[in-house]
């Protein structure tokens, strides 16, 4: 079974609007971490945001926020005020305990002007 | 700080040839890992290391070998290349004091004909 599920292969959003990228995870560990990475067409992997399982508040980094719903095991990425430069692949990842992170299959986001 | 470096950037191999993908990091990170990225599959973990002299298998280890003789270097060896190993390979490093956030290299695009 997949540990990280990203159900949206592709998403479209109008510039300046907000968009939510879905991520659900599966773990029985109490201690885990959730990450989102961005991969533009140039190919590099860019870290966006992190949420620890014991963090009570949702993580925020500039225009990025992570909507963490522990009981539902979801960790959705919210991008506010989308920009053309946000067009990229987005990957959700989970670290269980001290293990190396497992990645989802990604969501392709296209921002329209 | 160069971060994580990978060589080569591009490589074409014939079936049956062997080669080594190089990875080095200058951040003194304990953990290093190799992922492969294929369209629609996200990043899948090949092998990882939690310190010099310690390596373990990830999700898709077959056909690959690793060793970790120093903290800085983590080469990935393809023993007998197959077309199924055509992929983009990412090396990453991480450390506990950075929440195990993965720092990625720029990737190596490998084609096996």
């Amino acid at each position: 079974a997949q540990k990280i599920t990203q159900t949206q292969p592709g998403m479209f959003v109008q510039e300046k609007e907000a968009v939510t990228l879905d991520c659900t995870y599966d773990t029985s560990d109490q201690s885990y971490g959730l990450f989102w990475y961005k991969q533009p067409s140039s190919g590099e992997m860019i870290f966006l945001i992190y949420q620890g399982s014991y963090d009570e508040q949702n993580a925020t980094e500039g225009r990025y926020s992570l909507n963490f719903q522990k009981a539902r095991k979801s960790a959705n990425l919210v991008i506010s005020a989308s920009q053309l430069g946000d067009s990229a692949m987005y990957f959700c990842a989970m670290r269980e305990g001290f293990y190396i992170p497992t990645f989802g299959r990604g969501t392709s986001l296209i921002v329209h002007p | 700080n160069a971060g994580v470096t990978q060589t080569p950037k591009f490589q074409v191999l014939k079936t049956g040839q062997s080669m080594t993908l190089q990875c080095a990091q200058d951040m003194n990170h304990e953990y290093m890992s190799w992922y492969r990225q294929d369209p629609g599959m996200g990043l899948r973990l090949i092998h990882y290391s939690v310190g010099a002299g310690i390596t373990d298998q990830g999700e898709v280890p077959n056909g690959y070998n690793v060793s970790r003789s120093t903290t800085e270097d983590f080469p990935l060896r393809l023993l007998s290349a197959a077309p199924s190993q055509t992929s983009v390979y990412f090396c990453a490093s991480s450390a506990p004091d950075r929440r195990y956030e993965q720092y990625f290299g720029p990737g190596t695009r490998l084609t096996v004909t």
Side-chain angles (χ1 to χ4, degrees):
Chain A
Q2 283 201 2
K3 289 190 175 289
I4 293 285
T5 302
Q6 295 182 253
T7 56
Q8 307 153 314
M11 290 283 286
F12 297 87
V13 66
Q14 204 74 25
E15 194 179 7
K16 299 179 186 174
E17 292 188 347
V19 63
T20 298
L21 306 184
D22 294 341
C23 173
T24 57
Y25 59 92
D26 181 24
T27 182
S28 55
D29 281 12
Q30 295 302 308
S31 175
Y32 53 90
L34 297 153
F35 304 84
W36 277 92
Y37 286 83
K38 172 184 178 181
Q39 186 180 43
S41 58
S42 50
E44 71 269 30
M45 296 290 291
I46 301 168
F47 166 76
L48 294 178
I49 197 166
Y50 169 84
Q51 179 86 38
S53 57
Y54 294 119
D55 295 340
E56 295 189 353
Q57 298 209 335
N58 287 344
T60 60
E61 293 280 353
R63 293 185 300 110
Y64 304 107
S65 60
L66 199 153
N67 185 359
F68 181 45
Q69 298 190 36
K70 198 168 181 176
R72 293 187 179 185
K73 295 188 176 178
S74 78
N76 298 340
L77 177 70
V78 181
I79 305 175
S80 63
S82 297
Q83 301 172 355
L84 296 178
D86 293 334
S87 294
M89 282 292 291
Y90 288 81
F91 292 97
C92 180
M94 175 179 65
R95 168 189 58 75
E96 294 175 282
F98 305 115
Y99 199 63
I100 301 288
T102 303
F103 283 74
R105 297 191 176 194
T107 295
S108 173
L109 176 67
I110 296 176
V111 181
H112 288 301
Chain B
N1 250 359
V4 180
T5 57
Q6 291 183 238
T7 55
K9 283 189 165 37
F10 302 94
Q11 183 71 48
V12 178
L13 288 178
K14 291 190 185 327
T15 297
Q17 287 184 318
S18 63
M19 80 159 296
T20 299
L21 306 186
Q22 300 292 346
C23 175
Q25 53 96 5
D26 61 0
M27 296 172 283
N28 203 33
H29 284 172
E30 298 165 44
Y31 287 24
M32 295 187 74
S33 49
W34 278 100
Y35 294 88
R36 60 177 288 174
Q37 182 180 19
D38 302 293
M41 297 299 292
L43 279 78
R44 292 182 292 170
L45 184 64
I46 304 171
H47 284 285
Y48 66 96
S49 168
V50 298
I54 307 169
T55 63
D56 206 346
Q57 297 181 352
E59 181 187 355
V60 288
N62 292 344
Y64 308 95
N65 270 0
V66 292
S67 59
R68 183 115 177 257
S69 55
T70 67
T71 299
E72 294 79 19
D73 300 299
F74 191 45
L76 179 72
R77 296 183 191 83
L78 281 71
L79 305 173
S80 177
S84 61
Q85 294 179 304
T86 293
S87 188
V88 178
Y89 291 84
F90 285 98
C91 179
S93 71
S94 58
D97 60 345
R98 292 290 304 171
R99 307 169 303 193
Y100 300 96
E101 170 195 333
Q102 296 286 63
Y103 288 75
F104 283 90
T108 294
R109 185 173 293 274
L110 175 68
T111 302
V112 183
T113 61

